[in-house]
Amino acid sequence: SHNFFSPMHSGNFAGALRCYNTVHDRLSEENNANPTNEAKQPFDIRKRRALAVILYKMNRMHYKQNDVESSLDKLQKALSLMNGCEDDKSKKLRKKVEADVKKMKIEVERSTLEWV
C-alpha cells in the first residue's frame, strides 16, 4: 500500500527530512503544551506512537543517505517514546524498532571499523 503523501518516495531526501522534522516538531510542541493526565492518556499513546513512526521514517531517510549514526539515534528516540505504551499497535511497533536498533548497532560498528 502506498501513502498518498510519502515524502520518502520522492527521492528528495533533504526535502523529505525537512517535512518529517516539521511534523515531528509540531506534534512535540502540541504534546509539551498539553501535559498528560488520566483523561488524555489514550490520545497521548496515539500521539507518542505517531511521533515514533515519524522518527522511524526519519531513520530510514538517514540510512538511505548512509548516515548510520543518525539513523540509530532516531531509532533509539523512537524506542524511548514507546516505553510504557502497552497497546497492541505499540507493542508491534516497538518490536520492529527494537529489531532495527539491533541491526543498526551492527551497521554503526561496521562503519566505525571501516574508518579505523
Side-chain angles (χ1 to χ4, degrees):
S1 74
H2 287 80
N3 294 336
F4 172 73
F5 177 71
S6 183
M8 193 158 124
H9 295 290
S10 69
N12 178 2
F13 296 123
L17 276 172
R18 274 195 309 274
C19 178
Y20 287 134
N21 272 315
T22 299
V23 174
H24 179 271
D25 291 347
R26 286 184 183 167
L27 277 172
S28 296
E29 287 169 9
E30 200 174 304
N31 207 38
N32 292 337
N34 299 317
T36 61
N37 63 38
E38 293 304 312
K40 292 183 185 177
Q41 191 177 10
F43 182 68
D44 182 54
I45 289 170
R46 287 197 318 263
K47 191 177 289 187
R48 285 168 51 194
R49 192 170 52 239
L51 283 165
V53 167
I54 291 166
L55 287 165
Y56 185 82
K57 289 179 179 260
M58 291 169 79
N59 129 69
R60 299 302 305 155
M61 299 301 302
H62 287 295
Y63 185 72
K64 286 178 183 261
Q65 293 178 306
N66 294 318
D67 184 354
V68 291
E69 289 87 2
S70 294
S71 182
L72 178 60
D73 178 62
K74 298 300 182 206
L75 285 170
Q76 289 173 326
K77 286 178 180 175
L79 196 55
S80 72
L81 275 169
M82 300 309 301
N83 287 339
C85 297
E86 296 301 326
D87 59 293
D88 289 340
K89 287 182 180 180
S90 296
K91 286 179 182 178
K92 186 176 177 182
L93 177 61
R94 183 170 46 245
K95 194 173 190 178
K96 181 179 178 86
V97 173
E98 285 172 344
D100 283 3
V101 164
K102 287 179 187 173
K103 291 178 196 171
M104 198 55 60
K105 283 182 176 179
I106 293 167
E107 290 280 335
V108 167
E109 200 173 294
R110 188 177 298 143
S111 72
T112 304
L113 290 174
E114 288 174 4
W115 284 98
V116 175

